[in-house]
């Protein structure tokens, strides 16, 4: 149980385009999902907390207009990188917290490369 | 605010050697502590976690960690490593006060030589 999937697993796009990444909890409901970014050889940095039915909470320094988060259902959160630039190239990882649990389950990540 | 520091950035050791990775956190309240492993090209996997109770926690693949509250530490140990333990290891802390947000340490890259 407690499986989290991400789609796509990797994406290459041109500078200036927008990219949407999906995070799904496959066998549980998650009122809260988290989005992280991991640069090469670095740790995971929390970008935002996604709450079902309400606005996401962004960490300091993360542009909310650039990284649009939508958590429309209890099993799906999406991260859209708008007007992507090469410096946005990174590994984006989501996690989901089953309702009533205080443990996060991680997705496999999405590697974004912006040319 | 909570924070986590991992003392070693890189560790190289031979098979059958013992491994200990340091992790210290800073937060005065009640915390939940985790160790995650990330094998090359793979996603994060939970090794073990501490919420309460016995401070010596046993996880998967022969790993264990000890929560020492007085030292704000949660060091990871394995008595005898294998080549397949080559990976990056992350310590993380969360707390109810922080809305269950995970704060990760910088990670320790472990290379086990055959």
């Amino acid at each position: 149980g407690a499986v989290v999937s991400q789609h796509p697993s990797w994406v290459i796009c041109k500078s200036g385009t927008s990219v949407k990444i999906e995070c799904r909890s496959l066998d549980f409901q998650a009122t809260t999902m988290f989005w992280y970014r991991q640069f090469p050889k670095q740790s995971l940095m929390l970008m935002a907390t996604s709450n079902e039915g309400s606005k996401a909470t962004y960490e300091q320094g993360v542009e909310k207009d650039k990284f649009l988060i939508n958590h429309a259902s209890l099993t799906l959160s999406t991260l859209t990188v708008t007007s992507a630039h090469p410096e946005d190239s990174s590994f984006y990882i989501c996690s989901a917290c089953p309702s009533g649990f205080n443990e996060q389950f991680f997705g496999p990540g999405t590697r974004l490369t912006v040319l | 605010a909570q924070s986590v520091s991992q003392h070693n950035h890189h560790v190289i050791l031979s098979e059958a050697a013992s491994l200990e990775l340091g992790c210290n956190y800073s937060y005065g309240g009640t915390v939940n502590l985790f160790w995650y492993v990330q094998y090359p090209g793979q996603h994060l996997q939970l090794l073990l976690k501490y919420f309460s109770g016995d401070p010596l926690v046993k996880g998967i693949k022969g790993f264990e960690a000890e929560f020492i509250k007085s030292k704000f530490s949660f060091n990871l140990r394995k008595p005898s490593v294998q080549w397949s333990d080559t990976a990056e290891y992350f310590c993380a802390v969360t707390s109810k006060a922080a809305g269950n947000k995970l704060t990760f340490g910088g990670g320790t890259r472990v290379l086990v030589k055959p």
Side-chain angles (χ1 to χ4, degrees):
Chain A
V3 178
V4 177
S5 70
Q6 281 184 242
H7 178 80
S9 54
W10 59 269
V11 56
I12 302 172
C13 69
K14 291 182 180 180
S15 187
T17 59
S18 295
V19 174
K20 181 188 280 189
I21 302 170
E22 292 185 349
C23 176
R24 292 181 186 273
S25 55
L26 298 185
D27 50 4
F28 64 95
Q29 293 185 331
T31 52
T32 305
M33 291 184 172
F34 302 87
W35 286 97
Y36 298 84
R37 182 166 50 187
Q38 185 181 28
F39 289 109
K41 299 185 180 180
Q42 294 187 29
S43 187
L44 282 77
M45 297 298 294
L46 180 65
M47 297 174 66
T49 303
S50 169
N51 301 298
E52 189 265 336
S54 64
K55 290 183 179 180
T57 306
Y58 290 82
E59 295 300 299
Q60 196 171 13
V62 178
E63 299 173 58
K64 59 181 69 175
D65 294 330
K66 180 162 185 64
F67 299 99
L68 300 178
I69 291 172
N70 187 298
H71 192 155
S73 78
L74 287 172
T75 59
L76 173 64
S77 176
T78 60
L79 168 69
T80 301
V81 183
T82 62
S83 186
H85 291 284
E87 57 266 29
D88 298 323
S89 298
S90 187
F91 196 49
Y92 292 87
I93 303 170
C94 76
S95 70
C97 203
S99 302
F101 275 65
N102 52 9
E103 179 182 342
Q104 296 179 28
F105 296 90
F106 286 83
T110 297
R111 187 163 300 281
L112 170 64
T113 301
V114 185
L115 303 176
Chain B
Q2 58 194 25
S3 66
V4 181
S5 66
Q6 292 181 238
H7 314 304
N8 312 98
H9 297 294
H10 292 92
V11 171
I12 302 174
L13 58 165
S14 299
E15 276 194 313
S18 64
L19 172 70
E20 179 159 0
L21 303 181
C23 172
N24 284 90
Y25 67 94
S26 66
Y27 181 69
T30 302
V31 294
N32 299 318
L33 295 154
F34 305 82
W35 274 98
Y36 288 91
V37 61
Q38 189 175 34
Y39 297 104
Q42 296 189 29
H43 65 281
L44 277 176
Q45 297 176 42
L46 181 67
L47 271 180
L48 47 80
K49 60 189 177 188
Y50 172 79
F51 287 168
S52 63
D54 189 344
L56 184 61
V57 180
K58 295 198 182 298
I60 61 171
K61 307 189 182 196
F63 285 91
E64 65 177 32
E66 185 174 11
F67 170 53
I68 302 179
K69 190 174 181 180
S70 60
K71 295 185 178 180
F72 296 89
S73 70
F74 191 55
N75 292 355
L76 180 71
R77 297 192 291 254
K78 184 169 183 177
S80 176
V81 295
Q82 299 171 312
W83 174 79
S84 57
D85 292 320
T86 293
E88 187 148 19
Y89 294 81
F90 295 96
C91 181
V93 63
T94 187
S95 65
K96 202 170 182 180
N100 290 326
K101 289 194 293 187
L102 268 174
T103 300
F104 283 87
T108 299
R109 199 171 288 269
V110 174
L111 173 63
V112 180
K113 297 187 292 183

mmCIF file of all heavy atoms in Angstrom, chain A residues 34 36 38 41-44 46 49 59 91 93 97 101-104 106-109, chain B residues 32 34 36 38 43-44 46 49 51 88 90 94 99-102 104-107 109:
data_model
loop_
_atom_site.group_PDB
_atom_site.id
_atom_site.type_symbol
_atom_site.label_atom_id
_atom_site.label_comp_id
_atom_site.label_asym_id
_atom_site.label_seq_id
_atom_site.Cartn_x
_atom_site.Cartn_y
_atom_site.Cartn_z
ATOM 1 N N PHE A 34 3.168 17.126 -0.966
ATOM 2 C CA PHE A 34 4.316 18.021 -0.916
ATOM 3 C C PHE A 34 5.093 17.932 -2.224
ATOM 4 O O PHE A 34 5.215 16.863 -2.804
ATOM 5 C CB PHE A 34 5.245 17.650 0.245
ATOM 6 C CG PHE A 34 4.580 17.681 1.601
ATOM 7 C CD1 PHE A 34 3.909 16.568 2.084
ATOM 8 C CD2 PHE A 34 4.643 18.816 2.389
ATOM 9 C CE1 PHE A 34 3.301 16.586 3.335
ATOM 10 C CE2 PHE A 34 4.033 18.848 3.637
ATOM 11 C CZ PHE A 34 3.367 17.730 4.114
ATOM 12 N N TYR A 36 8.878 18.721 -3.871
ATOM 13 C CA TYR A 36 10.286 18.978 -3.581
ATOM 14 C C TYR A 36 11.048 19.138 -4.892
ATOM 15 O O TYR A 36 10.643 18.638 -5.937
ATOM 16 C CB TYR A 36 10.909 17.805 -2.813
ATOM 17 C CG TYR A 36 10.311 17.522 -1.462
ATOM 18 C CD1 TYR A 36 9.174 16.732 -1.342
ATOM 19 C CD2 TYR A 36 10.898 18.025 -0.307
ATOM 20 C CE1 TYR A 36 8.631 16.460 -0.096
ATOM 21 C CE2 TYR A 36 10.363 17.749 0.940
ATOM 22 C CZ TYR A 36 9.226 16.969 1.032
ATOM 23 O OH TYR A 36 8.688 16.701 2.269
ATOM 24 N N GLN A 38 15.110 18.635 -6.287
ATOM 25 C CA GLN A 38 16.420 18.111 -5.940
ATOM 26 C C GLN A 38 17.380 18.402 -7.087
ATOM 27 O O GLN A 38 17.259 17.832 -8.174
ATOM 28 C CB GLN A 38 16.359 16.606 -5.662
ATOM 29 C CG GLN A 38 17.672 16.020 -5.184
ATOM 30 C CD GLN A 38 17.591 14.516 -4.943
ATOM 31 O OE1 GLN A 38 16.802 13.812 -5.567
ATOM 32 N NE2 GLN A 38 18.415 14.016 -4.039
ATOM 33 N N LYS A 41 23.272 16.140 -6.983
ATOM 34 C CA LYS A 41 24.165 15.986 -5.841
ATOM 35 C C LYS A 41 23.774 16.859 -4.654
ATOM 36 O O LYS A 41 24.616 17.189 -3.825
ATOM 37 C CB LYS A 41 25.620 16.267 -6.253
ATOM 38 C CG LYS A 41 26.133 15.319 -7.330
ATOM 39 C CD LYS A 41 27.594 15.531 -7.648
ATOM 40 C CE LYS A 41 28.037 14.554 -8.733
ATOM 41 N NZ LYS A 41 29.461 14.715 -9.075
ATOM 42 N N GLN A 42 22.532 17.217 -4.587
ATOM 43 C CA GLN A 42 22.055 18.000 -3.450
ATOM 44 C C GLN A 42 20.868 17.318 -2.785
ATOM 45 O O GLN A 42 20.347 16.320 -3.278
ATOM 46 C CB GLN A 42 21.665 19.413 -3.892
ATOM 47 C CG GLN A 42 22.829 20.245 -4.375
ATOM 48 C CD GLN A 42 22.438 21.683 -4.637
ATOM 49 O OE1 GLN A 42 21.532 22.212 -4.005
ATOM 50 N NE2 GLN A 42 23.117 22.318 -5.565
ATOM 51 N N SER A 43 20.468 17.878 -1.676
ATOM 52 C CA SER A 43 19.361 17.292 -0.928
ATOM 53 C C SER A 43 18.024 17.770 -1.492
ATOM 54 O O SER A 43 17.975 18.611 -2.383
ATOM 55 C CB SER A 43 19.479 17.688 0.534
ATOM 56 O OG SER A 43 18.520 17.000 1.295
ATOM 57 N N LEU A 44 16.963 17.225 -0.953
ATOM 58 C CA LEU A 44 15.629 17.652 -1.358
ATOM 59 C C LEU A 44 15.274 18.948 -0.650
ATOM 60 O O LEU A 44 15.455 19.086 0.558
ATOM 61 C CB LEU A 44 14.581 16.597 -0.981
ATOM 62 C CG LEU A 44 14.468 15.378 -1.860
ATOM 63 C CD1 LEU A 44 15.592 14.405 -1.584
ATOM 64 C CD2 LEU A 44 13.123 14.698 -1.663
ATOM 65 N N LEU A 46 12.061 21.463 0.022
ATOM 66 C CA LEU A 46 10.616 21.594 -0.073
ATOM 67 C C LEU A 46 10.277 22.871 -0.822
ATOM 68 O O LEU A 46 10.783 23.949 -0.506
ATOM 69 C CB LEU A 46 10.001 21.615 1.329
ATOM 70 C CG LEU A 46 8.488 21.756 1.394
ATOM 71 C CD1 LEU A 46 7.804 20.530 0.785
ATOM 72 C CD2 LEU A 46 8.027 21.951 2.832
ATOM 73 N N THR A 49 3.616 23.082 -0.099
ATOM 74 C CA THR A 49 2.679 22.110 0.465
ATOM 75 C C THR A 49 1.347 22.307 -0.237
ATOM 76 O O THR A 49 0.814 23.425 -0.275
ATOM 77 C CB THR A 49 2.511 22.340 1.976
ATOM 78 O OG1 THR A 49 3.796 22.259 2.594
ATOM 79 C CG2 THR A 49 1.585 21.302 2.585
ATOM 80 N N GLU A 59 7.129 27.699 0.042
ATOM 81 C CA GLU A 59 8.271 28.009 0.890
ATOM 82 C C GLU A 59 8.894 29.320 0.431
ATOM 83 O O GLU A 59 8.736 29.767 -0.707
ATOM 84 C CB GLU A 59 9.293 26.881 0.846
ATOM 85 C CG GLU A 59 8.772 25.573 1.424
ATOM 86 C CD GLU A 59 8.356 25.692 2.868
ATOM 87 O OE1 GLU A 59 9.223 26.023 3.718
ATOM 88 O OE2 GLU A 59 7.170 25.454 3.164
ATOM 89 N N PHE A 91 15.235 17.725 -10.638
ATOM 90 C CA PHE A 91 14.456 16.517 -10.339
ATOM 91 C C PHE A 91 13.348 16.957 -9.390
ATOM 92 O O PHE A 91 13.624 17.483 -8.306
ATOM 93 C CB PHE A 91 15.384 15.494 -9.688
ATOM 94 C CG PHE A 91 14.855 14.085 -9.663
ATOM 95 C CD1 PHE A 91 14.349 13.494 -10.801
ATOM 96 C CD2 PHE A 91 14.893 13.339 -8.490
ATOM 97 C CE1 PHE A 91 13.883 12.190 -10.790
ATOM 98 C CE2 PHE A 91 14.425 12.026 -8.472
ATOM 99 C CZ PHE A 91 13.910 11.453 -9.622
ATOM 100 N N ILE A 93 10.155 16.004 -7.105
ATOM 101 C CA ILE A 93 9.636 14.844 -6.385
ATOM 102 C C ILE A 93 8.423 15.262 -5.576
ATOM 103 O O ILE A 93 8.436 16.312 -4.926
ATOM 104 C CB ILE A 93 10.703 14.278 -5.418
ATOM 105 C CG1 ILE A 93 11.976 13.915 -6.182
ATOM 106 C CG2 ILE A 93 10.175 13.057 -4.671
ATOM 107 C CD1 ILE A 93 13.149 13.575 -5.275
ATOM 108 N N CYS A 97 0.761 12.394 2.019
ATOM 109 C CA CYS A 97 0.582 12.019 3.417
ATOM 110 C C CYS A 97 -0.843 11.501 3.568
ATOM 111 O O CYS A 97 -1.788 12.274 3.405
ATOM 112 C CB CYS A 97 0.810 13.256 4.273
ATOM 113 S SG CYS A 97 1.264 12.935 5.955
ATOM 114 N N PHE A 101 -2.162 10.277 8.996
ATOM 115 C CA PHE A 101 -0.801 9.766 9.166
ATOM 116 C C PHE A 101 0.174 10.928 9.262
ATOM 117 O O PHE A 101 -0.089 12.016 8.761
ATOM 118 C CB PHE A 101 -0.396 8.909 7.961
ATOM 119 C CG PHE A 101 -0.835 7.478 8.077
ATOM 120 C CD1 PHE A 101 -2.167 7.147 8.101
ATOM 121 C CD2 PHE A 101 0.098 6.460 8.136
ATOM 122 C CE1 PHE A 101 -2.583 5.828 8.194
ATOM 123 C CE2 PHE A 101 -0.296 5.130 8.220
ATOM 124 C CZ PHE A 101 -1.632 4.822 8.252
ATOM 125 N N ASN A 102 1.312 10.681 9.876
ATOM 126 C CA ASN A 102 2.352 11.708 9.847
ATOM 127 C C ASN A 102 3.602 11.182 9.165
ATOM 128 O O ASN A 102 4.718 11.506 9.537
ATOM 129 C CB ASN A 102 2.662 12.211 11.261
ATOM 130 C CG ASN A 102 2.954 11.076 12.220
ATOM 131 O OD1 ASN A 102 3.082 9.940 11.800
ATOM 132 N ND2 ASN A 102 3.067 11.378 13.491
ATOM 133 N N GLU A 103 3.416 10.356 8.173
ATOM 134 C CA GLU A 103 4.514 9.845 7.359
ATOM 135 C C GLU A 103 4.205 10.135 5.907
ATOM 136 O O GLU A 103 3.070 9.983 5.459
ATOM 137 C CB GLU A 103 4.681 8.339 7.565
ATOM 138 C CG GLU A 103 5.786 7.716 6.731
ATOM 139 C CD GLU A 103 5.883 6.222 6.918
ATOM 140 O OE1 GLU A 103 5.339 5.701 7.916
ATOM 141 O OE2 GLU A 103 6.494 5.568 6.057
ATOM 142 N N GLN A 104 5.226 10.562 5.170
ATOM 143 C CA GLN A 104 5.057 10.861 3.751
ATOM 144 C C GLN A 104 5.552 9.699 2.916
ATOM 145 O O GLN A 104 6.543 9.056 3.241
ATOM 146 C CB GLN A 104 5.844 12.120 3.385
ATOM 147 C CG GLN A 104 5.343 13.374 4.078
ATOM 148 C CD GLN A 104 6.161 14.586 3.723
ATOM 149 O OE1 GLN A 104 6.747 14.666 2.631
ATOM 150 N NE2 GLN A 104 6.210 15.541 4.623
ATOM 151 N N PHE A 106 6.788 8.806 -0.975
ATOM 152 C CA PHE A 106 7.372 9.557 -2.076
ATOM 153 C C PHE A 106 7.078 8.937 -3.433
ATOM 154 O O PHE A 106 7.047 7.706 -3.584
ATOM 155 C CB PHE A 106 8.884 9.680 -1.889
ATOM 156 C CG PHE A 106 9.248 10.666 -0.818
ATOM 157 C CD1 PHE A 106 9.243 10.294 0.516
ATOM 158 C CD2 PHE A 106 9.568 11.971 -1.136
ATOM 159 C CE1 PHE A 106 9.551 11.211 1.511
ATOM 160 C CE2 PHE A 106 9.877 12.897 -0.160
ATOM 161 C CZ PHE A 106 9.863 12.520 1.167
ATOM 162 N N GLY A 107 6.919 9.818 -4.409
ATOM 163 C CA GLY A 107 6.833 9.381 -5.785
ATOM 164 C C GLY A 107 8.224 9.146 -6.340
ATOM 165 O O GLY A 107 9.227 9.492 -5.707
ATOM 166 N N PRO A 108 8.304 8.587 -7.542
ATOM 167 C CA PRO A 108 9.600 8.261 -8.141
ATOM 168 C C PRO A 108 10.334 9.454 -8.715
ATOM 169 O O PRO A 108 11.493 9.341 -9.098
ATOM 170 C CB PRO A 108 9.230 7.269 -9.248
ATOM 171 C CG PRO A 108 7.835 7.620 -9.601
ATOM 172 C CD PRO A 108 7.182 8.095 -8.341
ATOM 173 N N GLY A 109 9.675 10.608 -8.770
ATOM 174 C CA GLY A 109 10.336 11.797 -9.283
ATOM 175 C C GLY A 109 10.148 12.008 -10.766
ATOM 176 O O GLY A 109 9.858 11.070 -11.516
ATOM 177 N N ASN B 32 9.443 13.725 14.806
ATOM 178 C CA ASN B 32 9.484 12.409 14.183
ATOM 179 C C ASN B 32 10.720 12.397 13.290
ATOM 180 O O ASN B 32 10.997 13.371 12.593
ATOM 181 C CB ASN B 32 8.239 12.158 13.339
ATOM 182 C CG ASN B 32 6.974 12.209 14.179
ATOM 183 O OD1 ASN B 32 6.943 11.687 15.286
ATOM 184 N ND2 ASN B 32 5.946 12.840 13.653
ATOM 185 N N PHE B 34 13.401 10.353 10.515
ATOM 186 C CA PHE B 34 13.404 9.391 9.418
ATOM 187 C C PHE B 34 14.801 9.280 8.819
ATOM 188 O O PHE B 34 15.567 10.241 8.833
ATOM 189 C CB PHE B 34 12.461 9.843 8.296
ATOM 190 C CG PHE B 34 11.044 10.103 8.730
ATOM 191 C CD1 PHE B 34 10.699 11.315 9.312
ATOM 192 C CD2 PHE B 34 10.065 9.148 8.540
ATOM 193 C CE1 PHE B 34 9.385 11.570 9.703
ATOM 194 C CE2 PHE B 34 8.750 9.399 8.924
ATOM 195 C CZ PHE B 34 8.418 10.608 9.510
ATOM 196 N N TYR B 36 16.075 8.043 5.004
ATOM 197 C CA TYR B 36 15.696 7.592 3.676
ATOM 198 C C TYR B 36 16.964 7.210 2.916
ATOM 199 O O TYR B 36 18.050 7.745 3.164
ATOM 200 C CB TYR B 36 14.998 8.704 2.899
ATOM 201 C CG TYR B 36 13.601 9.022 3.383
ATOM 202 C CD1 TYR B 36 13.393 9.996 4.352
ATOM 203 C CD2 TYR B 36 12.493 8.352 2.871
ATOM 204 C CE1 TYR B 36 12.107 10.308 4.794
ATOM 205 C CE2 TYR B 36 11.219 8.653 3.308
ATOM 206 C CZ TYR B 36 11.035 9.624 4.273
ATOM 207 O OH TYR B 36 9.760 9.918 4.708
ATOM 208 N N GLN B 38 18.443 6.635 -1.147
ATOM 209 C CA GLN B 38 18.198 6.853 -2.576
ATOM 210 C C GLN B 38 19.297 6.134 -3.342
ATOM 211 O O GLN B 38 20.445 6.584 -3.382
ATOM 212 C CB GLN B 38 18.192 8.347 -2.889
ATOM 213 C CG GLN B 38 17.737 8.679 -4.300
ATOM 214 C CD GLN B 38 17.626 10.187 -4.525
ATOM 215 O OE1 GLN B 38 18.392 10.971 -3.978
ATOM 216 N NE2 GLN B 38 16.653 10.606 -5.327
ATOM 217 N N HIS B 43 14.105 6.206 -6.691
ATOM 218 C CA HIS B 43 13.470 7.197 -5.840
ATOM 219 C C HIS B 43 13.743 6.916 -4.362
ATOM 220 O O HIS B 43 14.306 5.878 -4.012
ATOM 221 C CB HIS B 43 11.964 7.248 -6.123
ATOM 222 C CG HIS B 43 11.226 5.991 -5.773
ATOM 223 N ND1 HIS B 43 11.232 4.878 -6.572
ATOM 224 C CD2 HIS B 43 10.449 5.673 -4.708
ATOM 225 C CE1 HIS B 43 10.491 3.948 -6.030
ATOM 226 N NE2 HIS B 43 10.008 4.390 -4.891
ATOM 227 N N LEU B 44 13.361 7.849 -3.548
ATOM 228 C CA LEU B 44 13.574 7.738 -2.112
ATOM 229 C C LEU B 44 12.817 6.553 -1.533
ATOM 230 O O LEU B 44 11.649 6.334 -1.834
ATOM 231 C CB LEU B 44 13.068 8.995 -1.415
ATOM 232 C CG LEU B 44 13.971 10.212 -1.361
ATOM 233 C CD1 LEU B 44 13.239 11.342 -0.714
ATOM 234 C CD2 LEU B 44 15.245 9.902 -0.600
ATOM 235 N N LEU B 46 12.075 4.653 2.319
ATOM 236 C CA LEU B 46 12.183 4.780 3.765
ATOM 237 C C LEU B 46 12.977 3.604 4.339
ATOM 238 O O LEU B 46 12.649 2.450 4.094
ATOM 239 C CB LEU B 46 10.796 4.821 4.391
ATOM 240 C CG LEU B 46 10.748 4.966 5.908
ATOM 241 C CD1 LEU B 46 11.280 6.336 6.334
ATOM 242 C CD2 LEU B 46 9.328 4.766 6.412
ATOM 243 N N LYS B 49 12.107 4.736 10.784
ATOM 244 C CA LYS B 49 11.518 5.960 11.324
ATOM 245 C C LYS B 49 11.389 5.831 12.839
ATOM 246 O O LYS B 49 11.284 4.716 13.372
ATOM 247 C CB LYS B 49 10.140 6.202 10.702
ATOM 248 C CG LYS B 49 9.161 5.070 10.969
ATOM 249 C CD LYS B 49 7.897 5.238 10.160
ATOM 250 C CE LYS B 49 6.959 4.045 10.404
ATOM 251 N NZ LYS B 49 5.787 4.061 9.504
ATOM 252 N N PHE B 51 9.025 7.521 15.923
ATOM 253 C CA PHE B 51 7.950 8.411 16.353
ATOM 254 C C PHE B 51 7.945 8.530 17.870
ATOM 255 O O PHE B 51 7.836 9.610 18.420
ATOM 256 C CB PHE B 51 6.588 7.890 15.865
ATOM 257 C CG PHE B 51 6.354 8.059 14.383
ATOM 258 C CD1 PHE B 51 5.297 7.437 13.758
ATOM 259 C CD2 PHE B 51 7.194 8.847 13.618
ATOM 260 C CE1 PHE B 51 5.084 7.597 12.392
ATOM 261 C CE2 PHE B 51 6.996 9.006 12.248
ATOM 262 C CZ PHE B 51 5.932 8.383 11.647
ATOM 263 N N GLU B 88 22.782 7.169 -1.581
ATOM 264 C CA GLU B 88 22.791 8.400 -0.812
ATOM 265 C C GLU B 88 21.756 8.268 0.302
ATOM 266 O O GLU B 88 20.644 7.759 0.075
ATOM 267 C CB GLU B 88 22.470 9.610 -1.688
ATOM 268 C CG GLU B 88 22.647 10.929 -0.950
ATOM 269 C CD GLU B 88 23.087 12.058 -1.855
ATOM 270 O OE1 GLU B 88 22.922 11.944 -3.072
ATOM 271 O OE2 GLU B 88 23.576 13.074 -1.308
ATOM 272 N N PHE B 90 19.628 10.054 3.452
ATOM 273 C CA PHE B 90 19.107 11.326 3.935
ATOM 274 C C PHE B 90 18.420 11.141 5.285
ATOM 275 O O PHE B 90 17.559 10.277 5.439
ATOM 276 C CB PHE B 90 18.082 11.909 2.955
ATOM 277 C CG PHE B 90 18.647 12.289 1.620
ATOM 278 C CD1 PHE B 90 18.575 11.414 0.547
ATOM 279 C CD2 PHE B 90 19.256 13.521 1.433
ATOM 280 C CE1 PHE B 90 19.095 11.760 -0.692
ATOM 281 C CE2 PHE B 90 19.773 13.882 0.190
ATOM 282 C CZ PHE B 90 19.695 12.997 -0.865
ATOM 283 N N THR B 94 10.448 15.803 11.042
ATOM 284 C CA THR B 94 9.179 16.496 10.905
ATOM 285 C C THR B 94 8.560 16.652 12.277
ATOM 286 O O THR B 94 8.938 15.960 13.220
ATOM 287 C CB THR B 94 8.222 15.744 9.958
ATOM 288 O OG1 THR B 94 7.066 16.544 9.742
ATOM 289 C CG2 THR B 94 7.794 14.425 10.538
ATOM 290 N N GLY B 99 3.656 21.434 10.777
ATOM 291 C CA GLY B 99 2.666 20.978 9.809
ATOM 292 C C GLY B 99 3.050 19.709 9.095
ATOM 293 O O GLY B 99 2.672 19.483 7.950
ATOM 294 N N ASN B 100 3.863 18.889 9.785
ATOM 295 C CA ASN B 100 4.353 17.634 9.215
ATOM 296 C C ASN B 100 5.212 17.844 7.978
ATOM 297 O O ASN B 100 5.370 16.927 7.165
ATOM 298 C CB ASN B 100 3.208 16.661 8.921
ATOM 299 C CG ASN B 100 2.601 16.119 10.199
ATOM 300 O OD1 ASN B 100 3.294 15.925 11.186
ATOM 301 N ND2 ASN B 100 1.302 15.888 10.184
ATOM 302 N N LYS B 101 5.761 19.026 7.813
ATOM 303 C CA LYS B 101 6.685 19.253 6.705
ATOM 304 C C LYS B 101 8.012 18.591 7.034
ATOM 305 O O LYS B 101 8.551 18.749 8.117
ATOM 306 C CB LYS B 101 6.903 20.757 6.491
ATOM 307 C CG LYS B 101 5.688 21.456 5.921
ATOM 308 C CD LYS B 101 6.023 22.831 5.398
ATOM 309 C CE LYS B 101 6.427 23.791 6.472
ATOM 310 N NZ LYS B 101 6.585 25.175 5.952
ATOM 311 N N LEU B 102 8.535 17.869 6.065
ATOM 312 C CA LEU B 102 9.808 17.199 6.244
ATOM 313 C C LEU B 102 10.950 18.162 5.945
ATOM 314 O O LEU B 102 10.949 18.836 4.921
ATOM 315 C CB LEU B 102 9.934 16.004 5.293
ATOM 316 C CG LEU B 102 9.493 14.630 5.786
ATOM 317 C CD1 LEU B 102 9.561 13.633 4.644
ATOM 318 C CD2 LEU B 102 10.346 14.161 6.939
ATOM 319 N N PHE B 104 14.946 17.955 5.311
ATOM 320 C CA PHE B 104 15.991 16.975 5.015
ATOM 321 C C PHE B 104 17.365 17.515 5.367
ATOM 322 O O PHE B 104 17.639 18.716 5.249
ATOM 323 C CB PHE B 104 15.984 16.625 3.529
ATOM 324 C CG PHE B 104 14.873 15.681 3.133
ATOM 325 C CD1 PHE B 104 13.622 16.163 2.796
ATOM 326 C CD2 PHE B 104 15.086 14.313 3.110
ATOM 327 C CE1 PHE B 104 12.594 15.302 2.445
ATOM 328 C CE2 PHE B 104 14.064 13.441 2.747
ATOM 329 C CZ PHE B 104 12.821 13.948 2.427
ATOM 330 N N GLY B 105 18.238 16.603 5.763
ATOM 331 C CA GLY B 105 19.639 16.931 5.860
ATOM 332 C C GLY B 105 20.248 16.961 4.471
ATOM 333 O O GLY B 105 19.600 16.630 3.482
ATOM 334 N N GLY B 106 21.510 17.342 4.414
ATOM 335 C CA GLY B 106 22.170 17.498 3.133
ATOM 336 C C GLY B 106 22.488 16.194 2.419
ATOM 337 O O GLY B 106 22.868 16.210 1.256
ATOM 338 N N GLY B 107 22.352 15.079 3.130
ATOM 339 C CA GLY B 107 22.620 13.793 2.497
ATOM 340 C C GLY B 107 24.062 13.357 2.685
ATOM 341 O O GLY B 107 24.975 14.181 2.805
ATOM 342 N N ARG B 109 26.658 10.645 0.825
ATOM 343 C CA ARG B 109 26.861 9.708 -0.280
ATOM 344 C C ARG B 109 27.803 8.609 0.197
ATOM 345 O O ARG B 109 28.932 8.887 0.602
ATOM 346 C CB ARG B 109 27.453 10.455 -1.461
ATOM 347 C CG ARG B 109 27.316 9.768 -2.791
ATOM 348 C CD ARG B 109 27.755 10.700 -3.916
ATOM 349 N NE ARG B 109 26.792 11.759 -4.133
ATOM 350 C CZ ARG B 109 25.774 11.695 -4.985
ATOM 351 N NH1 ARG B 109 25.594 10.613 -5.704
ATOM 352 N NH2 ARG B 109 24.951 12.706 -5.118
#
